[in-house]
Amino acid sequence: MTKLSVNINKIATIRNARGGNTPNLVEAAIKIEQFGAQGITIHPRPDERHIRYQDVYDLKPVVKTEFNIEGKPVESFMELVLANKPEQVTLVPDAENAITSNAGWDTVKHFDYLTDVIKIFKEAGIRTSIFLDPNPALVEAAAKTGADRIELYTEEFATQYGLGNLAAIKPYKETALLAIENGLGVNAGHDLSLDNIQYFIEEIPQIAEVSIGHALISEALYMGLENTIQSYLRKIEVANLK
Ligand SMILES: CC(=O)[C@@H](O)[C@H](O)COP(=O)(O)O
Ligand SMILES: NCC(=O)COP(=O)(O)O
């Protein structure tokens, strides 16, 4: 069954708007797990615009499901991850000044860099995942880096699905199937939502985990956090059982 990891960046964004501790990120993570999520994802960025490095230390002892830390493996990020040893680290090629993640890795161009970084995380016992565009040409190199998984960057799927273009799933399916043939697990994330999640997983039931933040926290404003998480879990279950 595909696991749901809730990305809590947006909760930190609201907290940071006032400089205090409301909403409390640690309390939110505990509740999100109680409501049924199978993982907590965070993406500490160097400017700490939402998740702060201290949050990682505060969350580590309370996250009892899967802790997934995303980010660009610059020195400070590597130190942070190695000090906290989450279950999974997702490597993302964060561009400078980008409003959010806007591309996956070129695994051919950055092969040596990724291989070196992945070796360090694997030696520390941390599962590694590479954020990847839906491009089968990048899969073989991704597998050769030694990574355990890829995370499919789903923004384009989400945009096209919203426009009614269901064929947009095709490169995702091809990339996922090739990744599995090459021994990789497959995660997915970015702009997944209650609207598009069921179709995505019905089409690619092999997805091990989805990480969802922006839409889920927005939907929770109308529906409540517990109800929203439960709605995702139902859709994921229905999709997996099809
Ligand atoms: C890696 C990824 O897909 C992102 O979705 C990310 O974690 C979201 O980051 P922001 O919350 O900073 O937009
Ligand atoms: N890895 C993707 C993620 O954690 C959440 O992305 P989004 O749902 O905030 O777009």
Side-chain angles (χ1 to χ4, degrees), residues 41-46 53 68-74 77-78 81 89-94 101 105 113 117 121 129 131:
T41 290
I42 54 171
H43 189 146
R45 293 179 181 273
Y53 275 31
N68 175 38
I69 307 182
E70 304 182 329
K72 187 173 184 174
V74 295
F77 176 85
M78 293 195 60
V81 173
V89 61
T90 301
L91 308 177
V92 184
D94 295 332
S101 310
W105 288 98
Y113 173 60
V117 164
F121 286 130
S129 180
F131 199 55

Side-chain angles (χ1 to χ4, degrees), residues 2-18:
T2 308
K3 288 188 174 169
L4 172 66
S5 182
V6 174
N7 182 317
I8 58 174
N9 294 353
K10 284 289 162 340
I11 298 176
T13 304
I14 299 173
R15 176 201 58 192
N16 295 355
R18 284 289 174 94

Side-chain angles (χ1 to χ4, degrees), residues 70-204:
E70 304 182 329
K72 187 173 184 174
V74 295
E75 207 177 322
S76 56
F77 176 85
M78 293 195 60
E79 279 169 16
L80 180 72
V81 173
L82 291 168
N84 285 281
K85 291 206 177 25
E87 280 71 30
Q88 178 173 272
V89 61
T90 301
L91 308 177
V92 184
D94 295 332
E96 297 267 319
N97 302 321
I99 196 165
T100 186
S101 310
N102 57 10
W105 288 98
D106 181 337
T107 51
V108 175
K109 187 169 169 192
H110 299 289
F111 180 78
D112 290 341
Y113 173 60
L114 288 169
T115 304
D116 290 349
V117 164
I118 284 165
K119 186 166 180 280
I120 294 170
F121 286 130
K122 287 190 81 171
E123 279 172 3
I126 303 167
R127 186 169 72 226
T128 54
S129 180
I130 297 180
F131 199 55
L132 203 75
D133 289 324
N135 179 353
L138 300 171
V139 168
E140 199 185 330
K144 285 192 175 148
T145 62
D148 301 290
R149 295 188 184 182
I150 56 164
E151 176 177 328
L152 291 171
Y153 171 42
T154 49
E155 181 179 353
E156 184 60 16
F157 159 76
T159 304
Q160 293 303 322
Y161 183 88
L163 297 170
N165 179 13
L166 301 190
I169 195 74
K170 196 165 171 271
Y172 290 88
K173 249 183 173 168
E174 286 171 2
T175 307
L177 293 177
L178 189 61
I180 290 163
E181 265 176 42
N182 277 268
L184 291 159
V186 182
N187 296 340
H190 203 95
D191 279 345
L192 293 175
S193 70
L194 272 178
D195 286 336
N196 59 37
I197 189 68
Q198 189 171 329
Y199 179 74
F200 189 79
I201 296 178
E202 272 172 16
E203 291 295 312
I204 317 176

